């Protein structure tokens, strides 16, 4: 419960998971629901393809350029870093940020290509830490049955299986693992509860984590 007039800080709620695990649907539903409740909230996504760095990433994903694995890894990280000052100021101002992917995707996709796990983690060290990580858990074999993957680089079963395996390695005990094979509405109800818990926790702890 908030004390005094301080609104506390916003929560950083990160959604992770393989492609086609329902992240985009669920982040949108959570956002709509929190807006309807009158909460200060924004919906973000990574990669954020509209920036200069983001445009290079977009081109890479559409297979328009062939950057070395290390170079694209650093661009994905830079894409998070370039928005970090705004992210920090929003959180400090009490805005909850929901994001469709974050640094865990960065590590999982590059480690899936064979890059060293610790090397992959290092460029993201110092980014704002999530208050809640929602892992949308859907095995790639099941995701593939949902009408197939898209056309972009990485959207194939071999890559997705490797990424899923890397996510299992990265998974921390405080991650909220949500069964993404259940219905959209059931999944949303579960996520809504988790998000409100995380937001309440932040309201009572105004100090920004670094
Ligand atoms: P999305 O727009 O969420 O579907 O993401 C586009 C693709 O890029 C998807 O296959 C996941 C992948 N991806 C997302 N973030 C990163 C990252 O930080 N590094 C790498 N290598 N891939 C990422
Ligand atoms: Na995708
Ligand atoms: Na998505």
């Amino acid at each position: 419960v908030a004390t005094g007039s301080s609104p506390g800080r916003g929560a950083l709620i990160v959604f992770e998971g393989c492609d086609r695990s329902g992240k985009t649907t669920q982040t949108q539903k959570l956002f709509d629901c929190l807006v309807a409740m009158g909460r200060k909230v924004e919906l973000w996504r990574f990669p954020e393809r509209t920036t200069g760095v983001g445009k290079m990433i977009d081109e890479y994903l559409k297979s328009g350029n062939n950057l070395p694995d290390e170079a694209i890894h650093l661009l994905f990280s830079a894409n998070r870093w370039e928005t970090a000052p705004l992210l920090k100021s929003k959180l400090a101002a009490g805005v909850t940020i929901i994001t469709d992917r974050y640094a865990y995707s960065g590590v999982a996709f590059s480690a899936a290509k064979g890059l060293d796990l610790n090397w992959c983690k290092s460029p993201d060290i110092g980014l704002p830490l999530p208050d809640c990580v929602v892992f949308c858990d859907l095995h790639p074999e099941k995701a593939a049955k949902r009408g197939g993957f898209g056309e972009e680089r990485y959207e194939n079963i071999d890559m997705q299986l490797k990424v899923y395996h890397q996510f299992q390695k990265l998974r921390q005990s405080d991650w909220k693992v949500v069964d993404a094979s259940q219905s959209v509405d059931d999944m949303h109800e579960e996520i809504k509860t988790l998000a409100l818990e995380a937001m309440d926790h932040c309201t009572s702890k105004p100090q920004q984590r670094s």
Side-chain angles (χ1 to χ4, degrees):
V1 177
T3 51
S5 59
S6 166
R9 59 183 184 82
L12 177 56
I13 303 174
V14 168
F15 282 64
E16 287 287 7
C18 287
D19 287 286
R20 298 215 141 244
S21 59
K23 294 181 305 303
T24 303
T25 302
Q26 291 297 332
T27 51
Q28 185 69 52
K29 277 186 85 76
L30 179 63
F31 173 74
D32 292 344
C33 164
L34 294 175
V35 168
M37 292 173 73
R39 302 296 187 112
K40 282 201 284 179
V41 59
E42 289 186 13
L43 177 54
W44 289 29
R45 91 287 319 146
F46 291 103
E48 173 49 68
R49 301 188 194 214
T50 59
T51 66
V53 172
K55 286 185 181 113
M56 292 172 73
I57 293 170
D58 184 59
E59 193 189 327
Y60 173 83
L61 289 170
K62 294 185 166 117
S63 301
N65 62 36
N66 262 315
L67 291 166
D69 293 339
E70 291 84 353
I72 190 66
H73 181 79
L74 295 172
L75 288 179
F76 272 106
S77 180
N79 187 233
R80 290 181 283 273
W81 277 108
E82 68 181 338
T83 51
L86 184 62
L87 182 58
K88 282 183 201 165
S89 68
K90 296 266 182 191
L91 294 171
V95 181
T96 283
I97 306 287
I98 301 165
T99 174
D100 185 348
R101 298 192 187 278
Y102 198 54
Y104 306 101
S105 281
V107 176
F109 279 78
S110 290
K113 291 189 270 186
L115 298 186
D116 177 74
L117 193 69
N118 285 318
W119 186 88
C120 291
K121 285 180 181 176
S122 52
D124 290 307
I125 293 171
L127 283 173
L129 289 174
D131 297 287
C132 179
V133 178
V134 176
F135 182 71
C136 297
D137 192 11
L138 188 69
H139 194 275
E141 302 280 9
K142 283 188 187 161
K145 287 186 187 136
R146 289 188 163 177
F149 295 108
E151 299 291 307
E152 290 194 334
R153 197 189 292 257
Y154 304 153
E155 293 183 313
N156 62 77
I157 188 73
D158 289 347
M159 180 63 177
Q160 295 294 321
L161 286 168
K162 287 180 186 156
V163 171
Y164 187 76
H165 177 69
Q166 292 300 327
F167 272 130
Q168 303 308 318
K169 288 210 277 186
L170 291 173
R171 186 164 147 178
Q172 292 164 16
S173 58
D174 59 350
W175 282 22
K176 309 297 181 189
V177 178
V178 176
D179 175 5
S181 67
Q182 62 187 318
S183 77
V184 168
D185 288 341
D186 288 349
M187 196 174 165
H188 169 66
E189 287 306 318
E190 195 176 329
I191 289 169
K192 180 183 164 185
T193 304
L194 296 170
L196 289 172
E197 270 171 22
M199 290 164 72
D200 284 351
H201 194 69
C202 287
T203 309
S204 58
K205 274 173 69 186
Q207 211 61 34
Q208 171 88 46
R209 287 160 76 189
S210 59

